């Protein structure tokens, strides 16, 4: 299903997006050395409840996971990249952490992810990988306009990732979003320009470039959810929810400016 939001729904989407951006920013500030992933999950649960919002994750039971996710935020450390299930692990200096969060507020969902390094020891190759996913996301957003096709966005994202030297997995990628978290169209992280669904104002998309340093192959943890690089190499993932406007894109999940 593909949803086109009316102006009133779009105004609710702005509220949800701002909430997701602000929770992620607050989690990032609290994700210091020694903090446990389960604490991050608990804080997320509290912030969602305090805002009167609902988790899109806790009861989520799609075909690509085992049973309901049962947690409030995805926490993916180092070689883990997608659907990282929070578990009893205390963050260490130099860990590359991805936080991915989707919530629904007054019936509209928003979804975003950030990758960053915990503590002081920042490996240049980790910073470069994070930077590549951020630049790929910016390129994807820059390609958004009414009349553009999904393949144009895929190609814009994929070009940045490929030129940065990373293999690209096209199975998991961006998606439509609206009254539910995962909708059509699928936005692969590489593709052919001029192909696919034609964007129109009111469409919400979650764009989410992610990479693994030296492979495009994923393996699943025993928890049935957490996806890691098959080689154990490090990974990065950056995501925003955007709205297609009359002239381009509006990014909905930005953190509140200081
Ligand atoms: N937010 C993820 C995405 O970017 C989906 C996570 S599903 C979960 O599409 F259940 F693992 F949380
Ligand atoms: Co998403």
């Amino acid at each position: 299903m593909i949803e086109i939001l009316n102006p009133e729904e779009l105004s609710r989407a702005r509220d949800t997006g701002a909430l997701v951006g602000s929770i992620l920013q607050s989690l990032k500030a609290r994700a210091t050395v020694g903090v446990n992933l389960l604490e991050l999950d608990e804080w997320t649960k509290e912030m969602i409840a305090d805002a009167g919002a609902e988790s899109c994750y806790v009861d989520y039971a799609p075909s690509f996971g085992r049973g309901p996710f049962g947690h409030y935020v995805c926490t993916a450390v180092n070689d883990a990249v997608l659907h990282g299930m929070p578990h009893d692990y205390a963050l260490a200096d130099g860990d590359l952490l991805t936080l991915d969060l989707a919530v629904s507020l007054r019936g509209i969902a928003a979804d975003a992810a950030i990758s960053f390094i915990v503590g002081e020891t920042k490996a240049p190759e980790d910073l470069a990988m994070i930077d590549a996913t951020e630049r790929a996301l910016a390129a994807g957003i820059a390609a958004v306009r009414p009349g553009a096709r999904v393949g144009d966005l895929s190609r814009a994202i994929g070009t940045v990732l490929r030129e940065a030297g990373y293999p690209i997995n096209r199975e998991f990628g961006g998606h439509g979003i609206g009254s539910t978290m995962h909708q059509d169209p699928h936005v692969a992280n590489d593709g052919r320009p001029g192909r696919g669904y034609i964007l129109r104002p009111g469409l919400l998309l979650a764009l989410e470039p992610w990479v693994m340093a030296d492979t495009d192959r994923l393996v699943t943890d025993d928890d049935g959810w957490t996806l890691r690089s098959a080689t154990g190499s490090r990974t990065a993932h950056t995501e925003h929810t955007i709205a297609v406007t009359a002239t381009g894109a509006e990014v909905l999940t930005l953190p509140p400016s200081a």
Side-chain angles (χ1 to χ4, degrees):
M1 185 187 60
I2 294 180
E3 283 179 0
I4 301 297
L5 276 63
N6 65 36
E8 187 275 325
E9 291 165 328
L10 196 54
S11 122
R12 279 189 271 149
R14 288 191 185 96
D15 293 342
T16 315
L19 176 63
V20 167
S22 117
I23 294 177
L24 282 176
Q25 186 184 50
S26 144
L27 290 172
K28 181 179 179 181
R30 296 198 216 179
T32 51
V33 173
V35 164
N36 197 294
L37 300 180
L38 294 174
E39 291 181 280
L40 290 173
D41 192 49
E42 187 59 30
W43 293 331
T44 308
K45 176 183 182 176
E46 287 166 10
M47 287 188 273
I48 294 171
D50 287 349
E54 280 167 32
S55 169
C56 295
Y57 292 174
V58 68
D59 297 323
Y60 194 50
S63 57
F64 55 77
R66 183 189 304 142
F69 188 64
H71 294 273
Y72 296 83
V73 61
C74 295
T75 57
V77 180
N78 297 339
D79 56 322
V81 61
L82 298 178
H83 314 156
M85 182 175 267
H87 59 282
D88 182 11
Y89 173 78
L91 291 167
D93 188 46
D95 275 348
L96 198 170
L97 176 63
T98 299
L99 299 174
D100 186 341
L101 176 71
V103 309
S104 182
L105 180 64
R106 290 187 288 132
I108 305 287
D111 185 3
I114 51 174
S115 285
F116 57 93
I117 297 168
V118 175
E120 301 303 321
T121 312
K122 301 180 198 288
E125 55 275 24
D126 289 352
L127 292 172
M129 188 162 43
I130 295 167
D131 182 65
T133 63
E134 291 175 350
R135 286 186 291 112
L137 177 57
I141 292 170
V144 172
R145 56 173 177 77
R149 289 180 179 262
V150 163
D152 302 338
L153 278 51
S154 295
R155 172 57 65 93
I157 290 168
T159 299
V160 173
L161 299 179
R162 229 175 316 106
E163 286 178 356
Y166 301 106
I168 301 171
N169 173 301
R170 303 198 340 187
E171 187 186 352
F172 292 96
H175 48 94
I177 181 167
S179 61
T180 56
M181 167 175 64
H182 280 154
Q183 301 188 355
D184 289 332
H186 173 69
V187 187
N189 284 330
D190 199 8
R192 290 209 238 167
R195 299 290 186 96
Y197 181 77
I198 301 175
L199 307 189
R200 60 197 68 184
L203 175 72
L204 295 195
L205 291 175
L207 302 179
E208 45 183 317
W210 60 276
V211 290
M212 306 181 279
D214 63 4
T215 183
D216 61 359
R217 278 199 313 124
L218 292 162
V219 291
T220 309
D221 275 8
D222 289 342
D223 64 18
W225 280 96
T226 305
L227 297 175
R228 318 184 166 264
S229 65
T231 56
S233 65
R234 290 190 166 214
T235 67
H237 177 201
T238 306
E239 176 176 19
H240 273 307
T241 295
I242 64 97
V244 181
T245 67
T247 53
E250 177 180 347
V251 181
L252 302 178
T253 44
L254 290 171
S257 43

